[in-house]
Amino acid sequence: MTVIEVAAGLIRREGRYLIARRKAGVHLAGYWEFPGGKREPGESLEECLQRELLEELNVRIDVPVPYGIVRHDYPEKVVELHFFRCAIEAGDAQPIECAELRWVFPDEFAQYEFPPADEVILDALRREAAMES
């Protein structure tokens, strides 16, 4: 089975993370996720994330810093999610390619339905937030 590589941005501001709700009619529609998307041929994961966030949210980000990789087998495909810490350098996030955006604290993640593949990252961000407070 083909592995789909995805870059996702962990964009944090004042302790909150930016999450996006997937549009109807797409894989995992209605779920919340960290914004990003599929890597195109010949593109680095960092370039992918910068392009996707510009297309999806109309923001430019600084240089993404690798955070973690999660591989998840869905019945219909295998995804390898590459999470990066990054910050918005220009623009205000707009829900262009998603249904909705929210800024949420890690202790609020449980109020949103995320794909199973994101659980490891959600747990890590919750632990980090708890250690900071």
Side-chain angles (χ1 to χ4, degrees):
M1 202 177 296
T2 309
V3 175
I4 298 165
E5 288 184 303
V6 174
L10 301 174
I11 304 168
R12 184 176 163 187
R13 184 166 67 196
E14 298 169 5
R16 291 182 172 97
Y17 286 91
L18 183 63
I19 60 171
R21 190 171 200 170
R22 295 179 66 86
K23 282 185 173 177
V26 300
H27 182 247
L28 301 172
Y31 279 86
W32 290 86
E33 65 182 357
F34 296 100
K38 288 183 239 170
R39 178 159 105 164
E40 300 290 337
E43 178 176 67
S44 73
L45 287 158
E46 291 83 358
E47 290 165 341
C48 166
L49 185 59
Q50 290 169 326
R51 174 186 54 76
E52 286 283 350
L53 295 182
L54 186 59
E55 291 172 2
E56 289 186 9
L57 309 177
N58 197 32
V59 296
R60 293 192 185 280
I61 58 165
D62 61 358
V63 177
V65 177
Y67 181 78
I69 300 169
V70 177
R71 190 181 174 108
H72 191 81
D73 297 357
Y74 288 100
E76 66 282 4
K77 60 177 116 179
V78 177
V79 293
E80 191 172 87
L81 301 164
H82 296 260
F83 292 90
F84 292 88
R85 285 198 183 278
C86 56
I88 295 173
E89 281 193 332
D92 287 317
Q94 319 265 325
I96 297 168
E97 291 292 323
C98 57
E100 190 179 348
L101 295 174
R102 296 256 174 97
W103 288 94
V104 300
F105 287 108
D107 65 0
E108 298 171 327
F109 290 155
Q111 297 169 33
Y112 300 88
E113 192 173 9
F114 284 84
D118 288 7
E119 281 306 316
V120 169
I121 298 298
L122 295 169
D123 288 343
L125 295 175
R126 279 189 205 101
R127 280 193 308 274
E128 282 177 16
M131 289 186 331
E132 289 173 2
S133 56

